[in-house]
Amino acid sequence: MRMYLMFAMKAFSNQLAYRSEVWLRLLGNFVTILIQVEIWRAVIGNGNVAGIRAEQMITYSIVNTLLFALLLNGVSSKVDGSLKSGGIASELIKPLSYPLYLLFDGLGNSLYQLAFTVAPSLLIAGLFFGMLPPATLTNFLAFLLALMLALIISFLLGYLISLLAFWFMNHFALSWMMGGLITIFAGSFLPLWFFPPSWASVANMLPFQYMGYVPAAIYLGNITETELWQVLAVGAGWIVGLLVLVQWLWTRAVRRLVVQGG
């Protein structure tokens, strides 16, 4: 485990070389939140829509925008680069678990984003737009659990795409499709409680809601305490299912790997 923690620390320190990028990310987060805040203020005004007030939607937008910055979405790009360069061969002969290496590398990047992008953006957004506190202490603790589920599910979905790239030799189209599905069904911009029943049913059958809607809804208390633990248990079930799937794909992907040149 110590070796993987070192990989996470290395990923964190590598990001320090791009400190100037922090200002662009802070500006990008601020503009993204500003646009959503103005849209929801215009749509909801001083009243409510389906029982949801503008203050709740502003908090929802802030939580979702900053949560997206923490997700482990760069896994498929990293594996795709290794496949094209042939570097995957040297990675596989090292005495380590390649999936765990990818996970801790991603966690190191997320820790950097948390310290230098998400925390400052949260402070700025709170000052400019206002932000509701967690509904209860239980909701806050459950939100932290949901955040961990979101990180793991985002990693497993990115890893799934990278494994499929072993067959297609390119991850771009798959990643593009996955990005579209996440944008719609994670509820990043439009919460699931505004979805028509048919679309909400589809979203509830997919894991993407755990990467946006579920953490924000738990934070706001829009998921009752009775439903809360059931929702988290289903998220844990998705993790187990995805783990089985990626392990099955991994054993087959390695068998068909052919590295040319040297």
Side-chain angles (χ1 to χ4, degrees), residues 3-4 91-97:
M3 175 176 61
Y4 297 107
E91 300 287 355
L92 292 180
I93 61 175
K94 292 178 181 176
L96 54 81
S97 166

Side-chain angles (χ1 to χ4, degrees), residues 90-139:
S90 61
E91 300 287 355
L92 292 180
I93 61 175
K94 292 178 181 176
L96 54 81
S97 166
Y98 187 60
L100 279 180
Y101 157 69
L102 292 173
L103 174 62
F104 278 84
D105 182 78
L107 288 175
N109 290 325
S110 291
L111 185 60
Y112 173 84
Q113 296 300 335
L114 176 64
F116 293 98
T117 303
V118 172
S121 293
L122 183 64
L123 180 62
I124 294 170
L127 289 173
F128 276 85
F129 309 116
M131 184 175 175
L132 296 174
T136 65
L137 178 60
T138 302
N139 282 81

